[in-house]
Amino acid sequence: MILKILILFGVMFALMIIGAPIAVSLGIATITTMVATTNIGLTSIATACFSGLDSFPLMAIPFFILAGNLMRSGGISRRILDFADALVGSITGSTGMVTVVASMFFAALSGSSPATVTAIGGITIPEMKKEGYDPAYATALAAAAGTIGVIIPPSIPFVIYGVAAQCSISDLFLAGIIPGIMIGIVLMGVNYFTSKKHNYGTKKKFEAKNLFITLRTSIWALLVPVIILGGIYGGIFTPTESAVVAIIYSLLVGVFVYKELDKKAIYEALRDTVLINGQTTFLVGISMAFARFLTMSQVPTSIASSILNISNPVLILLVINVFLLIVGCFIDNISSCVILTPILLPIVTGIGMDPIHFGIVMTVNLAIGFITPPYGCNLFFASAISNVPVTKIAAKILPMILVMIGVLMLLTFIPALSIGILG
């Protein structure tokens, strides 16, 4: 058992350190360990990959990616920004506030953290720089606000976790609403005090008339989450089917209402979706094979037994949180979820934690990984927009990470904040 673990994780981390893609590292580590320690045929790898991907809920991933791309190109994200500006643009740190609020709205459309950063940060980061914000701080705020994209439903990581844990994706979506709002509020708090201290932003006057006008022009964009979530919880369609509905709605609004979605934009949205989904699907397939081998080798059972020797449930949850925060620094959200769910879920259910509650805690943990070096993909996306080095962004994002960890602790030890909404 110990030999298998050493070979499996040793090869995986060695390959990752030298720069091999995570999917390749997982695949080679699994094959190497199987050849060295078992008599299992290598065809089982292909079988595990295929059977892991043969899942109806996973079809939601490319559909939500495409829907997000169409919304970004079709004028929906621009209208959301206009409405957010009219709503909170008069508060201290105005454009920073708009960045967070608009990210919360866009999170309810895309289900993706990088998509939220590029769609919202691509517009607000240059605006914040014009208004005198420190470029590194402006970039850090947009990157941090982008993490809400995987917490407020619909969320691609919730789909992945729901498949891996075999629990209700609809319940995960519903349970993610309050945590996402909480993170948005604490980030707005950080922005308020930082902007007040450094005099960031321009003074704007709140105008009810302007709010009404922007609400009227953006109503088609704001209806997207209502249609998606209303359809799911009204029993009209499944989460996967809701993603298809979102695509059709985005096409209709982008082409016929806002008239900003042309053939070129649709082609680029399709192309980007194919490229992103190809990478994601390959990664998920290999991760499923890796997780299957872990289960066959009884690694999750052994680790669970070791951790459960700790008698204090609070200490167990703290250990798991610290572990997930560290993992998020090095491995992407999807890989971490697929690999670690079969390991950690038996542990938390063993101390009485609800699987939906753990899904929220795990997703928030790994969402923080989007903004923590060295992996922190949100940092790289935001850096590409602002041309500010990641090292400078990382220094400014630390207070935001700390308040998000504070929210994580509340969500961990007060289940009602997430699953209380489920009744």
Side-chain angles (χ1 to χ4, degrees), residues 161 165 167 172 345 348-349 352-360 419:
Y161 175 83
C167 62
L172 286 165
L345 190 59
V348 296
T349 54
M353 192 175 194
D354 187 279
I356 301 294
H357 180 203
F358 180 63
I360 301 299
I419 59 175

Side-chain angles (χ1 to χ4, degrees), residues 153-231:
S155 163
I156 291 173
F158 283 161
V159 175
I160 298 292
Y161 175 83
V163 172
Q166 297 184 338
C167 62
S168 170
I169 295 172
S170 298
D171 285 351
L172 286 165
F173 280 4
L174 194 58
I177 295 174
I178 293 176
I181 293 172
M182 289 174 65
I183 290 175
I185 290 171
V186 296
L187 289 178
M188 290 172 71
V190 170
N191 178 65
Y192 177 84
F193 289 108
T194 303
S195 298
K196 194 168 186 178
K197 178 180 178 181
H198 298 286
N199 197 29
Y200 290 154
T202 57
K203 301 297 182 183
K204 301 178 184 178
K205 183 180 178 181
F206 176 79
E207 296 181 5
K209 180 181 178 181
N210 186 41
L211 178 62
F212 175 76
I213 292 172
T214 56
L215 175 61
R216 186 177 61 189
T217 57
S218 62
I219 190 66
W220 293 101
L222 298 174
L223 279 174
V224 177
V226 176
I227 293 171
I228 292 174
L229 299 179

Side-chain angles (χ1 to χ4, degrees), residues 311-377:
S311 58
N312 191 331
V314 173
L315 187 56
I316 290 175
L317 291 176
L318 287 174
V319 168
I320 289 174
N321 273 314
V322 172
F323 174 66
L324 287 172
L325 288 171
I326 294 171
V327 167
C329 294
F330 300 97
I331 305 177
D332 71 279
N333 190 297
I334 292 175
S335 298
S336 302
C337 185
V338 175
I339 295 168
L340 297 176
T341 297
I343 296 175
L344 299 178
L345 190 59
I347 298 173
V348 296
T349 54
I351 59 173
M353 192 175 194
D354 187 279
I356 301 294
H357 180 203
F358 180 63
I360 301 299
V361 171
M362 178 179 240
T363 302
V364 173
N365 260 297
L366 298 176
I368 295 173
F370 279 116
I371 54 174
T372 51
Y375 177 73
C377 67

